[in-house]
Tab-separated table of all heavy atoms in Angstrom:
chain	number	residue	atom	x	y	z
A	104	LYS	N	-11.100	-7.912	-2.327
A	104	LYS	CA	-11.990	-7.750	-1.173
A	104	LYS	C	-12.805	-8.968	-0.957
A	104	LYS	O	-13.002	-9.808	-1.803
A	104	LYS	CB	-12.893	-6.499	-1.408
A	104	LYS	CG	-12.160	-5.241	-1.874
A	104	LYS	CD	-11.050	-4.826	-1.010
A	104	LYS	CE	-10.499	-3.482	-1.474
A	104	LYS	NZ	-9.824	-3.600	-2.774
A	105	VAL	N	-13.412	-9.053	0.231
A	105	VAL	CA	-14.296	-10.150	0.511
A	105	VAL	C	-15.490	-10.133	-0.384
A	105	VAL	O	-15.858	-9.100	-0.927
A	105	VAL	CB	-14.751	-10.103	2.001
A	105	VAL	CG1	-13.567	-10.282	2.939
A	105	VAL	CG2	-15.528	-8.834	2.320
A	106	LEU	N	-16.083	-11.328	-0.572
A	106	LEU	CA	-17.175	-11.508	-1.525
A	106	LEU	C	-18.329	-10.527	-1.250
A	106	LEU	O	-18.954	-10.052	-2.202
A	106	LEU	CB	-17.653	-12.974	-1.492
A	106	LEU	CG	-18.381	-13.502	-2.677
A	106	LEU	CD1	-17.519	-13.382	-3.919
A	106	LEU	CD2	-18.788	-14.928	-2.465
A	107	SER	N	-18.586	-10.277	-0.013
A	107	SER	CA	-19.708	-9.408	0.344
A	107	SER	C	-19.542	-7.966	-0.106
A	107	SER	O	-20.474	-7.192	-0.127
A	107	SER	CB	-19.984	-9.489	1.873
A	107	SER	OG	-18.828	-9.096	2.545
A	108	ALA	N	-18.293	-7.628	-0.484
A	108	ALA	CA	-18.004	-6.246	-0.847
A	108	ALA	C	-17.965	-6.032	-2.388
A	108	ALA	O	-17.723	-4.947	-2.836
A	108	ALA	CB	-16.655	-5.838	-0.253
A	109	LEU	N	-18.217	-7.085	-3.146
A	109	LEU	CA	-18.001	-6.964	-4.598
A	109	LEU	C	-18.948	-6.025	-5.265
A	109	LEU	O	-18.696	-5.555	-6.372
A	109	LEU	CB	-17.994	-8.333	-5.261
A	109	LEU	CG	-19.308	-9.142	-5.324
A	109	LEU	CD1	-20.173	-8.693	-6.511
A	109	LEU	CD2	-18.968	-10.606	-5.500
A	110	ARG	N	-20.092	-5.704	-4.628
A	110	ARG	CA	-21.089	-4.812	-5.224
A	110	ARG	C	-20.850	-3.317	-4.926
A	110	ARG	O	-21.577	-2.466	-5.398
A	110	ARG	CB	-22.503	-5.191	-4.740
A	110	ARG	CG	-22.859	-6.595	-5.206
A	110	ARG	CD	-24.167	-7.054	-4.542
A	110	ARG	NE	-24.424	-8.466	-4.880
A	110	ARG	CZ	-25.207	-8.848	-5.916
A	110	ARG	NH1	-25.810	-7.969	-6.646
A	110	ARG	NH2	-25.369	-10.126	-6.176
A	111	PHE	N	-19.777	-3.041	-4.177
A	111	PHE	CA	-19.459	-1.655	-3.828
A	111	PHE	C	-18.370	-1.107	-4.714
A	111	PHE	O	-17.329	-1.682	-4.840
A	111	PHE	CB	-19.071	-1.569	-2.377
A	111	PHE	CG	-20.100	-2.022	-1.387
A	111	PHE	CD1	-20.053	-3.251	-0.789
A	111	PHE	CD2	-21.266	-1.232	-1.165
A	111	PHE	CE1	-21.040	-3.710	0.079
A	111	PHE	CE2	-22.260	-1.677	-0.300
A	111	PHE	CZ	-22.132	-2.935	0.328
A	112	SER	N	-18.612	0.048	-5.286
A	112	SER	CA	-17.612	0.695	-6.156
A	112	SER	C	-16.344	0.952	-5.422
A	112	SER	O	-15.237	0.901	-6.050
A	112	SER	CB	-18.162	1.924	-6.798
A	112	SER	OG	-18.555	2.868	-5.810
A	113	SER	N	-16.378	1.186	-4.157
A	113	SER	CA	-15.157	1.486	-3.392
A	113	SER	C	-14.219	0.275	-3.281
A	113	SER	O	-13.122	0.377	-2.839
A	113	SER	CB	-15.528	1.944	-1.998
A	113	SER	OG	-16.326	0.986	-1.323
A	114	SER	N	-14.717	-0.908	-3.664
A	114	SER	CA	-13.883	-2.151	-3.621
A	114	SER	C	-12.902	-2.245	-4.784
A	114	SER	O	-12.062	-3.099	-4.770
A	114	SER	CB	-14.787	-3.378	-3.580
A	114	SER	OG	-15.562	-3.448	-2.420
A	115	TYR	N	-13.035	-1.392	-5.737
A	115	TYR	CA	-12.317	-1.505	-6.950
A	115	TYR	C	-11.245	-0.384	-7.085
A	115	TYR	O	-11.488	0.738	-6.691
A	115	TYR	CB	-13.225	-1.477	-8.193
A	115	TYR	CG	-14.117	-2.692	-8.133
A	115	TYR	CD1	-15.317	-2.651	-7.403
A	115	TYR	CD2	-13.813	-3.898	-8.731
A	115	TYR	CE1	-16.112	-3.783	-7.252
A	115	TYR	CE2	-14.591	-5.027	-8.592
A	115	TYR	CZ	-15.737	-4.943	-7.880
A	115	TYR	OH	-16.530	-6.081	-7.755
A	116	ASP	N	-10.070	-0.796	-7.623
A	116	ASP	CA	-8.921	0.108	-7.559
A	116	ASP	C	-8.696	0.919	-8.859
A	116	ASP	O	-8.161	1.997	-8.817
A	116	ASP	CB	-7.665	-0.777	-7.298
A	116	ASP	CG	-7.768	-1.606	-6.079
A	116	ASP	OD1	-7.998	-1.038	-5.019
A	116	ASP	OD2	-7.668	-2.863	-6.153
Side-chain angles (χ1 to χ4, degrees):
K104 312 304 185 295
V105 297
L106 201 59
S107 58
L109 68 84
R110 297 171 186 265
F111 299 105
S112 58
S113 59
S114 296
Y115 297 86
D116 305 303

